Amino acid sequence: MNHYPKLFSTMKLGPYTLRNRIESAPMGMHGTPEGYFTTESAAYYELRAKGGAAIVTLGESMVDSKGTSHGRVNPLDDPGILSSLIKTTDAIKRHGAVASIELLHAGIRSGTPRPDDPVYGPSAGTSFYGKKIIEMGEAEIEKVVNSFGDAAEMAKLGGVQMCMIHGGHGWLLSQWFSPLHNYRTDRFGGSIENKARIALMIIENIRKKCGCNFPIEIRLSGDEFTEGGMKLEETVELAKVLDGKVDMIHVSAATFNDRAAGLRMFPSVFLPRGCNVYLAEAIKKVVKTPVATVGSLNDPAHMEEILESGKADMVTLGRALLADPYLPEKARSGNAEDITPCIRCNYCISQNFTPYVKYPRGVVQCVVNPIIGREDESRFVHISGGKKKVMVVGGGPAGMQAAITAADCGHEVVLYEKGKRLGGTLLYAEHEYFKEDVRKLTEVLARRVQKRLIKVMLSTEVTPEVVRKVNPDVLIAAVGAEPIIPNIPGVQNRNVFVAASIYDEGDIGKKVVVIGGGLVGCEEGLHLAHLGREVTILEMLEKAAPEAPYLHWLGLMKELEKSARLETRAKVTRITEEGVYAVNAKGEEKFYEADTILLAVGLKPRTDVVESLRNTAPDFIVIGDCQQPATAMEAIHMGYFSAMNI
Ligand SMILES: Cc1cc2nc3c(=O)[nH]c(=O)nc-3n(C[C@H](O)[C@H](O)[C@H](O)COP(=O)(O)O)c2cc1C
C-alpha cells in the first residue's frame, strides 16, 4: 500500500524517471586539502541514496576554484577531482538515486589569496567582508559563463547526472539578480531580463557542453529576507524568465549577507515547519517548469499535503535526511512512525559556519543520529563476543539508545527506569512550545524500545541487590544528573524552583526571575515569557547560552529580545520573598522583583548511584549525564557506541 501516493509518485526529469518526489538538498562537507571527495564523503552521500531519496545533490562545488575560492570545496576546474567524484557518484547511483551536484561561484563573497585582493561582482563597491569589488566586464562575464559550462562537463565526466546551479543565498548569480548588488545600466542590469541574462548564458553553455540529457536545476532565494534585497515579487518575475530554460526551479530563501536571514535559510525551531513553502507556491503558479521547495520539512504527511495541493512538485530535504537518511524508505514502507525527527538544533550547520565559529570543524555531525560523520567507519563495525545479557539502568536518551542498539546487535536487554515513563531529561521538552520535535524524538525512541525484545521495568529503582538478581554480563549506568542548588542565601525559600521541575511542582507567578542564562535557563525563560510571564534572566557570565549551536543561539536571542529581559554579568547575591538581588559588572547591587524564581545553574552527575552500582557486574559502562552532564547529542552518541562496543 502506498501511504503517500503523491510523494511516492514518479516524476520525469530529462531522461530520468525519479523514483519519488524527494530530493536530498546540497549539503557539503570537507574533503582533502585539495577539496577532493574522500571515502568518508562518498559514504556520507551514499547513505542518503540508500535511504531512498530520488536525487542526491553533492554540496557546493566551485566552478572556478582559483578565481573564487570558498573553503575546501570541490574544485570542478581540476581534473584531479575525477577519481574521487566517480567513486562518490557510483556510491549514489548503485542505490537507484540520481546524482546531482551544486555548481557555485562565490562572486563578491570569494576568498582571495591575499586579504587585500579585490573580488569581482556585478557592480563596483565594497563587499560584505570589506573587500573592494571590481565590476565585471564582458570578458569576465564570458569567463564565468564558460567556467560553469566547463565545470558541468567535468562533473558529467565524474558520473554526475544533472546539476543544480546555485542562484541563491547571496552567491554570484543571486548578486546579479539582487537589487542589493546589481546597479548596472548595460544589458546585464536594470530589467529582470537583463539581470537574468548571465544565468541564461550559463544555462546555454551547460547545455552546449553536456547535451540535453543533463537536467539543470536552479536554486533561487524566493525572498532574500534582507533589507533592500530581492523580494518574492521580483523572484516570481525572474522565475518567469527562467521558465522552460531549466528542468527544475528550486526555491530556497535568504542570503548569507544577513546573519539573521540565516534563520530562514536553515529554518530555526522558532519558525513553523515549511515556512518557505509559500515562496515555491507563488512561483509554481506562474511557471510550467517543475518547482522544488526546501526548508524544515520532515513529516511525510506534510510533504504529501504540499505536493497534493499543488504548492510544489518536489520536496527537498536537508537536515531531516541527516537525522534520518532512511526517512523516504520508512515513509514508503509504512514505517513513518520510526523516523528520527530532525530537532532543528542546527548543530550540523553551526559547527562549520565561519566566521561565526573560530574554525570550521570540517565534519558534519548530527545530534540525533550518531552515524552521521561516521558513515564510512560504521560500515566496518561488527559485533564481537557473542550474545550477552545487558542491563541498562536509566531510560533517558542515553539509556534508551544503548538499549536499542544493544538489542539490534543481538544481545538480551533489560532496561530499568526509576520514573513512570521513558524519556529522562527529554521529557522536560514536552512543555516548551518550540520543542515539538524533541517530543517526537522521545516518542520515537520509546517506540523503538517497545518494538524490540527489550524487557522494560518502569518505576523501579535499581540497587546492587536488583543487579545481582538480574545477573547481567554488562551493566550500563545511564542514571542521569540532578540540578545544582547554588549556595545563595534564600535559595530554600518556597518561591524558588528548579527550572526543569517547575511544571510539575509549582504555580508560576506573574513575575519570574531565572537564575542562570545557560541554554536551559534561556529556553525555559523564553517559554515562560511565551506563557505570558514577565521574565528576567540573570547570567553571571558575559554571554548567555554560549554552548548553543550558533544558529540556534541567534534565533533564541532574537526571540528573547522580543519577550524577556536578559541581563548578563549579573551575579545573584541573595533571594528574598519579594525577589532577587544581583550585583552587576560595576559592583552595583540591583533588585529584581519576582513571584517565582527558577534555578538553572547546571547539573551534577548522580555519582553516588553510579558508584553504588560499580563492581556489581563483570562489565560496567557509564554513559550520559551521570558520567558528566551531557548534551542530547553526547547522550545519544554515547548510548549508541557503548552498545556497539559490547
Ligand atoms: C550541514 C549542511 C550543509 C549544507 N551545505 C549546503 C551547500 O553546500 N550548499 C547549499 O546551497 N546549501 C547547503 N545547505 C543548506 C541546505 O541545502 C538546505 O537548503 C537547508 O538546510 C534548509 O533545508 P532543511 O531545513 O531541510 O535542512 C547545507 C545545510 C546543512 C545542514
Side-chain angles (χ1 to χ4, degrees):
M1 186 189 158
N2 188 346
H3 298 267
Y4 306 100
K6 195 73 199 174
L7 190 59
F8 291 96
S9 60
T10 57
M11 178 173 140
K12 274 300 271 179
L13 194 72
Y16 306 111
T17 301
L18 304 177
R19 58 184 165 187
N20 58 47
R21 303 298 182 105
I22 301 172
E23 174 181 50
S24 167
M27 287 189 287
M29 68 179 292
H30 282 217
T32 66
E34 299 88 352
Y36 302 161
F37 295 91
T38 58
T39 40
E40 283 85 12
S41 46
Y44 161 80
Y45 289 116
E46 176 171 10
L47 195 55
R48 267 163 287 138
K50 200 171 170 192
I55 302 173
V56 174
T57 316
L58 308 178
E60 291 168 358
S61 302
M62 305 310 301
V63 301
D64 173 6
S65 62
K66 283 145 212 99
T68 167
S69 74
H70 160 55
R72 268 161 53 175
V73 282
N74 335 115
L76 285 177
D77 51 355
D78 173 1
I81 196 168
L82 280 177
S83 61
S84 67
L85 181 55
I86 289 167
K87 283 187 187 158
T88 306
T89 51
D90 274 356
I92 293 171
K93 291 189 282 190
R94 66 173 164 248
H95 298 287
V98 170
S100 181
I101 196 163
E102 182 175 55
L103 306 180
L104 182 134
H105 191 300
I108 65 171
R109 293 182 52 78
S110 298
T112 49
R114 286 180 305 246
D116 295 339
D117 286 350
V119 287
Y120 289 83
S123 300
T126 306
S127 81
F128 180 64
Y129 297 119
K131 288 184 194 292
K132 183 177 172 201
I133 306 171
I134 298 183
E135 180 177 303
M136 287 166 74
E138 295 261 352
E140 276 99 20
I141 292 174
E142 201 55 41
K143 186 170 165 235
V144 166
V145 168
N146 267 312
S147 63
F148 269 93
D150 292 344
E153 193 178 5
M154 181 79 80
K156 195 175 171 202
L157 289 172
V160 173
Q161 297 161 294
M162 61 175 281
C163 69
M164 175 191 275
I165 298 173
H166 207 328
H169 297 180
W171 302 113
L172 180 71
L173 285 190
S174 63
Q175 292 156 22
W176 284 87
F177 303 146
S178 173
L180 275 175
H181 305 290
N182 183 348
Y183 350 104
R184 297 171 76 110
T185 52
D186 62 357
R187 67 188 185 113
F188 293 98
S191 69
I192 197 72
E193 287 78 10
N194 281 352
K195 288 176 171 174
R197 191 177 304 281
I198 185 167
L200 295 177
M201 288 163 71
I202 286 170
I203 293 161
E204 201 185 310
N205 201 282
I206 296 176
R207 296 263 190 239
K208 197 168 88 193
K209 289 170 181 159
C210 297
C212 56
N213 278 341
F214 188 79
I216 301 176
E217 178 178 7
I218 189 161
R219 176 167 246 203
L220 303 176
S221 288
D223 193 311
E224 291 195 309
F225 293 107
T226 300
E227 213 185 321
M230 195 137 168
K231 297 270 164 286
L232 176 59
E233 306 80 70
E234 291 158 287
T235 318
V236 164
E237 293 310 308
L238 171 65
K240 286 185 194 165
V241 178
L242 296 168
D243 192 19
K245 307 284 192 309
V246 289
D247 298 278
M248 186 142 69
I249 299 176
H250 169 114
V251 188
S252 180
T255 146
F256 279 112
N257 293 334
D258 181 336
R259 287 179 192 191
L263 300 173
R264 204 69 200 213
M265 199 185 295
F266 312 93
S268 77
V269 276
F270 306 108
L271 288 164
R273 290 259 171 215
C275 56
N276 295 335
V277 172
Y278 78 99
L279 301 169
E281 185 184 6
I283 287 170
K284 180 150 171 61
K285 280 192 184 133
V286 299
V287 298
K288 292 201 178 63
T289 307
V291 172
T293 180
V294 66
S296 75
L297 304 172
N298 78 342
D299 175 0
H302 184 199
M303 297 172 208
E304 178 74 9
E305 185 274 316
I306 293 166
L307 298 172
E308 181 54 42
S309 57
K311 293 177 186 143
D313 300 286
M314 188 97 199
V315 288
T316 307
L317 313 183
R319 293 165 297 172
L321 293 184
L322 297 178
D324 196 337
Y326 291 93
L327 181 154
E329 201 31 42
K330 287 182 180 174
R332 191 196 62 77
S333 60
N335 225 356
E337 61 168 29
D338 194 55
I339 293 167
T340 309
C342 161
I343 56 172
R344 296 195 287 178
C345 62
N346 271 333
Y347 182 87
C348 53
I349 186 72
S350 295
Q351 300 310 313
N352 289 310
F353 211 89
T354 46
Y356 311 128
V357 290
K358 194 165 181 186
Y359 304 111
R361 289 167 45 122
V363 55
V364 176
Q365 291 186 314
C366 173
V367 166
V368 297
N369 187 350
I371 290 296
I372 300 302
R374 303 186 179 103
E375 296 87 351
D376 192 37
E377 66 207 71
S378 300
R379 285 202 272 224
F380 303 110
V381 174
H382 63 276
I383 307 139
S384 58
K387 184 171 172 174
K388 292 192 174 160
K389 184 167 192 183
V390 179
M391 177 176 186
V392 182
V393 187
M400 282 194 287
Q401 185 63 59
I404 293 163
T405 308
D408 287 347
C409 291
H411 300 298
E412 181 191 340
V413 184
V414 30
L415 171 62
Y416 279 77
E417 164 57 40
K418 185 170 78 158
K420 291 194 196 98
R421 290 165 65 198
L422 295 176
T425 45
L426 293 180
L427 292 174
Y428 296 127
E430 279 189 341
H431 303 286
E432 289 169 357
Y433 73 95
F434 49 89
K435 290 254 173 101
E436 187 198 332
D437 291 304
V438 179
R439 256 189 317 275
K440 274 195 195 165
L441 174 67
T442 318
E443 284 162 19
V444 168
L445 289 173
R447 214 163 22 236
R448 284 185 189 153
V449 169
Q450 267 165 24
K451 282 194 168 172
R452 284 159 178 78
L453 284 175
I454 297 172
K455 187 171 160 199
V456 181
M457 305 291 289
L458 296 175
S459 308
T460 313
E461 191 121 14
V462 171
T463 59
E465 197 44 38
V466 177
V467 181
R468 269 187 277 277
K469 272 194 198 135
V470 176
N471 194 21
D473 301 302
V474 182
L475 177 64
I476 300 181
V479 296
E482 56 201 38
I484 293 173
I485 309 294
N487 193 11
I488 301 171
V491 79
Q492 301 298 346
N493 289 359
R494 275 185 315 170
N495 53 350
V496 182
F497 298 88
V498 168
S501 67
I502 177 93
Y503 305 101
D504 303 331
E505 288 177 15
D507 278 339
I508 310 165
K510 176 96 192 81
K511 289 192 174 170
V512 180
V513 165
V514 181
I515 301 179
L519 187 54
V520 170
C522 287
E523 289 188 338
E524 196 86 356
L526 177 62
H527 181 68
L528 292 174
H530 182 76
L531 295 180
R533 305 303 194 279
E534 261 175 58
V535 176
T536 304
I537 302 167
L538 301 176
E539 168 54 42
M540 202 163 75
L541 302 175
E542 215 163 307
K543 187 177 174 190
E547 71 274 38
Y550 173 74
L551 275 174
H552 182 64
W553 177 85
L554 187 62
L556 183 60
M557 292 304 131
K558 294 224 161 281
E559 294 302 307
L560 282 174
E561 263 170 36
K562 289 188 236 160
S563 55
R565 181 154 67 135
L566 169 63
E567 298 215 359
T568 53
R569 305 179 78 184
K571 186 172 172 8
V572 174
T573 47
R574 62 202 156 104
I575 299 170
T576 68
E577 294 295 330
E578 287 75 40
V580 169
Y581 288 86
V583 174
N584 67 17
K586 291 185 202 135
E588 300 155 352
E589 191 173 62
K590 235 169 128 182
F591 175 67
Y592 299 87
E593 197 185 333
D595 312 307
T596 302
I597 293 139
L598 288 195
L599 299 174
V601 295
L603 297 171
K604 60 171 194 272
R606 291 207 171 93
T607 312
D608 47 344
V609 184
V610 172
E611 291 315 314
S612 73
L613 300 179
R614 198 181 288 281
N615 302 323
T616 53
D619 275 336
F620 182 63
I621 305 168
V622 185
I623 60 171
D625 277 348
C626 65
Q627 188 197 59
Q628 187 188 333
T631 59
M633 168 157 166
E634 288 160 343
I636 293 172
H637 290 208
M638 269 193 253
Y640 178 82
F641 287 105
S642 65
M644 286 306 261
N645 292 336
I646 288 170

